[in-house]
Amino acid sequence: MTQAVRIKDLGRHEGQVVAVRGWVTHVRSKGKIAFVVLRDGSGIVQTVASLQDVGDETLARMDAATQESSAVVTGTVRADRRAPGGYELQLKSFEVTGDSPDYPIAPKEHGVEYLLDHRHLWLRHRGPWAILRVRDEVEKAIRDFMYDREFVLIDSPILTPAACEGTSTLFETDYFDEKAYLSQSGQLYLEPACMAFDKVYCFGPTFRAEKSKTRRHLTEFWMIEPEMAWATLDDAMALAEEMVSYIVARVLDRRAEELKVLERDTSKLESVVPPFPRLSYDEAAAILTRPENVKRAEEAGAPPFVPGSDLGAMDETILGEPFDRPVMIHRYPVEVKAFYMQPDPERPDRALCVDVIAPEGYGEIIGGSQRIHDPELLQARIAEHGLPESAFRWYLDARRYGTVPHAGFGMGIERVVGWITGTRHLRETIPYPRTIQRLYP
RNA sequence: UCCGGGGUAGCUCAGCCGGUAGAGCAGCUGGCUGUUAACCAGCGGGUCGGGGGUUCGAGUCCCUCCCCCGGAGCCA
């Protein structure tokens, strides 16, 4: 039986007769000679057969093969300058395993909605294929990074009894005789866990019922959330810049081929090394209120920056623009941030928190903070925010029994993949996107 | 929720001042021994998003509803 070879390895079998199992991406039939372009999970190769090689029956089968039929072929590996990829397969046999009548995605332009309706098939095509391989590399890099630094993976629950940051953006579901909510963050479960293992992280899907209709939002997205005991805001910031730099270097090293397919300008990624520039909220506010920046936001139709309020999408773009790597903005006003953030002892109206903004207008990829470790202060904040104390009883225990300063952050995988691959729309950075308008396929 | 754009063939779109539906691709038939989104010839294919109105006549104008896209806010 002929040895089956994956397409990326064909170069190692020059002159040999091998089998390739894949899918037909294109047929160019020219009468007495036919070209069938075949794809497998590893790459693409052109196969060729003439009438005298295979006879009219096989040639007719090649001619009749439709896009995305699966096929097993055998042939001789040949280096050929005329073949895309440098190698081609001179066929001896061509057998269709499963035919593919009326394949919906033509080698032509399609609208986004149509492609997303056929996402399960669109995955076979070049763009999604390259992006999702980068995503795989990003996720593997994160796990390696965490493991090497002795962080313990703590899988946080998806079904939760109550809100982490308020119920308005939670998906609600029945849980026997009570209500449950899909998790929007694992953080509250990690804080107690970091007091068991010092350094922990969770990495899983999170759900937000925000009615956001932008290219930067999904209702289901994946987040990596490290949490460290005996840690301050500075420790969290140092970890964030180290992790982001590690991920980018890893993709540049191992997924160069995919970035090329995506026509990503990799020079913009090569400069992503520590240290990242740091701006306090007050410094950022000073930049945003400069006349030229006020004018820019106005011209773009963005709402004006109001000192004391949170940063908008345009504000993040303006702040990130001068830098060739992500910028870290820290110490926002306490009022615009979550209840659990530690106030800055030197300025209690500022929170010890940080947002990391990706360059090139890709926006916030990380949000983190030092957490309140004083039980009384935390209890007061829960009350101020109108949150039900009963739901946070277990959470407060982390402060009641041997509290320590601790800090962590959450990083959105899709936004990182979007930035690294140069993909504007987050929905293309996840295999099966969930948005406010889409629950199919 | 607000602001902007859109819905015409399987797909991507054109359709002027209102006059009765068009292209490319895909599909099908035939031709072609080195194609690169091959090419050439031919064929089939339409509830013009739904409803209502104006008009001799509506894809085109008006009202209304639905759906999609982009942006804002919120966030990762």
Side-chain angles (χ1 to χ4, degrees):
Chain A
M1 188 153 152
T2 316
Q3 186 191 356
V5 173
R6 295 189 88 206
I7 287 168
K8 75 173 167 60
D9 299 323
L10 283 174
R12 296 209 300 260
H13 296 267
E14 196 181 337
Q16 298 173 20
V17 175
V18 299
V20 170
R21 299 174 297 194
W23 289 262
V24 172
T25 66
H26 221 87
V27 177
R28 286 185 289 271
S29 168
K30 227 184 151 318
K32 297 193 175 67
I33 186 168
F35 303 87
V36 171
V37 181
L38 214 59
R39 166 188 59 75
D40 71 6
S42 74
I44 288 180
V45 69
Q46 171 169 286
T47 70
V48 58
S50 63
L51 184 63
Q52 62 197 44
D53 298 331
V54 296
D56 51 2
E57 200 184 306
T58 299
L59 201 67
R61 270 207 303 275
M62 292 174 69
D63 182 39
T66 52
Q67 194 188 354
E68 291 303 325
S69 301
S70 50
V72 179
V73 306
T74 63
T76 311
V77 180
R78 267 201 356 222
D80 192 318
R81 219 180 317 116
R82 292 168 297 186
Y87 291 94
E88 69 176 19
L89 209 58
Q90 184 79 40
L91 290 191
K92 295 198 180 308
S93 70
F94 180 91
E95 302 290 341
V96 170
T97 305
D99 65 0
S100 173
D102 304 320
Y103 184 72
I105 304 178
K108 261 297 181 189
E109 280 173 36
H110 294 282
V112 193
E113 191 198 348
Y114 182 82
L115 288 170
L116 286 172
D117 280 341
H118 298 86
R119 181 61 170 176
H120 49 296
L121 300 175
W122 191 25
L123 296 176
R124 304 181 183 195
H125 297 249
R126 268 162 69 86
W129 187 85
I131 292 169
L132 293 176
R133 284 172 69 92
V134 170
R135 180 187 172 104
D136 170 59
E137 191 65 45
V138 166
E139 296 198 0
K140 174 74 168 118
I142 287 168
R143 293 198 187 281
D144 289 348
F145 178 89
M146 288 284 127
Y147 189 85
D148 290 348
R149 281 155 190 78
E150 300 183 328
F151 279 74
V152 175
L153 177 66
I154 297 294
D155 297 312
S156 56
I158 302 296
L159 290 167
T160 62
C164 293
E165 301 175 22
T167 51
S168 61
T169 61
L170 291 170
F171 285 104
E172 187 183 290
T173 183
D174 287 331
Y175 192 78
F176 305 108
D177 293 332
E178 51 187 322
K179 295 286 180 206
Y181 303 89
L182 299 187
S183 173
Q184 59 176 355
S185 162
Q187 181 198 321
L188 266 53
Y189 291 93
L190 288 181
E191 291 184 51
C194 83
M195 311 220 172
F197 302 96
D198 293 346
K199 295 189 283 186
V200 298
Y201 74 104
C202 66
F203 190 178
T206 51
F207 308 87
R208 298 197 185 170
E210 290 158 5
K211 295 197 171 165
S212 305
K213 274 174 69 174
T214 81
R215 59 172 185 246
R216 291 191 308 279
H217 290 88
L218 299 169
T219 53
E220 177 179 312
F221 66 98
W222 286 64
M223 192 154 64
I224 158 89
E225 295 177 271
E227 191 74 31
M228 301 175 285
W230 308 101
T232 63
L233 176 64
D234 284 342
D235 297 319
M237 288 168 73
L239 184 73
E241 69 184 350
E242 202 190 340
M243 186 165 85
V244 170
S245 307
Y246 179 91
I247 293 165
V248 170
R250 183 72 174 255
V251 172
L252 282 172
D253 181 37
R254 299 194 191 178
R255 293 291 166 226
E257 213 38 58
E258 285 78 1
L259 293 177
K260 211 164 114 192
V261 167
L262 297 165
E263 293 173 353
R264 180 67 166 120
D265 179 359
T266 51
S267 69
K268 293 207 158 67
L269 297 173
E270 275 150 15
S271 51
V272 179
V273 290
F276 293 171
R278 287 155 162 79
L279 289 176
S280 72
Y281 175 88
D282 294 314
E283 288 166 334
I287 292 168
L288 291 171
T289 47
R290 279 181 204 155
E292 70 265 26
N293 287 330
V294 171
K295 198 171 148 222
R296 258 203 70 194
E298 198 182 300
E299 279 165 5
F305 170 72
V306 181
S309 69
D310 211 346
L311 304 180
M314 188 64 202
D315 304 326
E316 291 179 352
T317 302
I318 290 171
L319 291 170
E321 222 156 51
F323 303 107
D324 61 354
R325 63 200 80 186
V327 57
M328 306 211 267
I329 300 166
H330 56 89
R331 292 176 172 81
Y332 284 64
V334 164
E335 314 87 66
V336 303
K337 287 294 177 181
F339 72 92
Y340 49 73
M341 292 185 180
Q342 176 76 26
D344 186 348
E346 287 170 25
R347 255 200 91 175
D349 62 329
R350 293 292 185 258
L352 291 175
C353 66
V354 62
D355 282 355
V356 181
I357 312 295
E360 302 171 71
Y362 281 92
E364 184 183 341
I365 52 173
I366 286 178
S369 67
Q370 186 172 327
R371 326 300 191 187
I372 293 173
H373 60 276
D374 177 71
E376 266 110 63
L377 179 58
L378 185 59
Q379 210 161 344
R381 283 289 154 81
I382 287 172
E384 277 168 35
H385 281 77
L387 298 168
E389 201 190 312
S390 59
F392 290 94
R393 219 170 38 233
W394 64 274
Y395 179 66
L396 282 157
D397 274 355
R399 279 75 176 172
R400 211 171 276 134
Y401 302 106
T403 193
V404 297
H406 58 289
F409 60 82
M411 183 177 85
I413 301 307
E414 288 76 16
R415 288 190 181 173
V416 171
V417 173
W419 162 48
I420 292 177
T421 57
T423 307
R424 300 303 307 188
H425 296 81
L426 248 45
R427 61 190 172 205
E428 291 177 40
T429 65
I430 187 166
Y432 295 97
R434 296 288 175 253
T435 66
I436 183 169
Q437 303 285 10
R438 181 169 294 281
L439 189 58
Y440 175 95

